[in-house]
Amino acid sequence: MQLSRFPAIEECIEAFRRLPGVGPKSAQRIVFHLLGKDPEAAGKIAASCEALHEKVGLCGTCSMLVEGEAGGSDCSVCGARDPGVICVVEEPADVFAVERAGGVKGRYHVLMGVISPLDGVEPEDLTVAKLIERVKAGDVKEVILALNPNMAGEGTSLYLAQVLKPLGVRVTQLAHGLPMGSHLEYADEMTLTRSLEGRREM
Ligand code: ZN
């Protein structure tokens, strides 16, 4: 019996395979599980996935996720915290990681990726211009670069330091407590807290 004779099953397996961390075997297990005892489970998963883009938007200022508000409106952090410090991260998930580690006494800026010329990602593809705008608007005294400790993260940090420092703002970077090649999202809170506290001038 060939799986290719079941196009609906194959298509679903392919869809799950595109998710991060899901290999072909896991994708197959998930799909067979969904076909199994609980027919409602598949419907619930599909509905909650579909609702994601309807209900969750991005903050018009920092690009952090906002839920239950009109698109483009500011998030709760941008509306409330000290505008003097901006902590720059790659993805919305990193904001949650930094918050778990005690957070920053300031606001955030989500880049939506890192500069990676090999993958065709240039500063224009990220929220870099918006960050420069925020710094130029005044009030900002320090920009903390909290990007992942890998080649692309380092390169992006250097680029941002180059464009931001001439604007008269202090630019700092996380201390090297995080192992090279690791990911902020999975860093333990203690390491991330120390790395934030020990941030150094760029
Ligand atoms: Zn915001």
Side-chain angles (χ1 to χ4, degrees):
M1 190 72 77
Q2 295 286 324
L3 206 53
S4 56
R5 293 186 51 193
F6 298 87
I9 294 178
E10 262 203 320
E11 195 185 316
C12 200
I13 291 173
E14 267 312 303
F16 276 106
R17 271 190 65 176
R18 281 186 223 117
L19 299 177
V22 181
K25 278 195 177 157
S26 311
Q28 197 168 316
R29 274 185 61 201
I30 292 169
V31 173
F32 285 129
H33 174 84
L34 292 174
L35 277 171
K37 290 175 189 127
D38 185 5
E40 274 178 28
K44 278 182 193 158
I45 292 170
S48 58
C49 288
E50 225 165 59
L52 274 181
H53 285 278
E54 273 167 36
K55 294 181 177 165
V56 184
L58 297 180
C59 169
T61 303
C62 73
S63 298
M64 179 50 182
L65 303 172
V66 284
E67 195 169 329
E69 291 152 66
S73 62
D74 275 0
C75 68
S76 55
V77 171
C78 279
R81 295 210 203 149
D82 179 11
V85 177
I86 295 179
C87 179
V88 180
V89 295
E90 291 177 25
E91 308 285 346
D94 299 330
V95 173
F96 293 114
V98 174
E99 286 287 299
R100 276 200 304 274
V104 285
K105 290 182 181 69
R107 302 181 181 184
Y108 290 96
H109 191 88
V110 184
L111 279 182
M112 290 296 174
V114 275
I115 300 166
S116 176
L118 284 177
D119 303 310
V121 185
E122 303 290 343
E124 302 80 60
D125 302 312
L126 308 171
T127 60
V128 174
K130 238 183 199 172
L131 174 64
I132 294 171
E133 232 173 78
R134 288 178 74 184
V135 172
K136 274 186 179 164
D139 291 343
V140 183
K141 290 171 191 74
E142 180 184 0
V143 174
I144 304 169
L145 301 175
L147 306 185
N148 289 312
N150 53 42
M151 290 264 286
E154 284 291 313
T156 307
S157 293
L158 285 173
Y159 172 83
L160 291 176
Q162 256 173 21
V163 295
L164 294 173
K165 276 163 77 174
L167 303 175
V169 69
R170 195 180 155 213
V171 181
T172 56
Q173 188 184 26
L174 291 188
H176 275 315
L178 298 167
M180 201 65 184
S182 67
H183 206 285
L184 231 66
E185 202 184 337
Y186 308 116
D188 73 277
E189 286 162 34
M190 206 54 194
T191 311
L192 190 49
T193 306
R194 277 206 209 106
S195 162
L196 269 165
E197 283 168 356
R199 64 186 185 270
R200 56 208 170 71
E201 217 69 42
M202 281 197 75

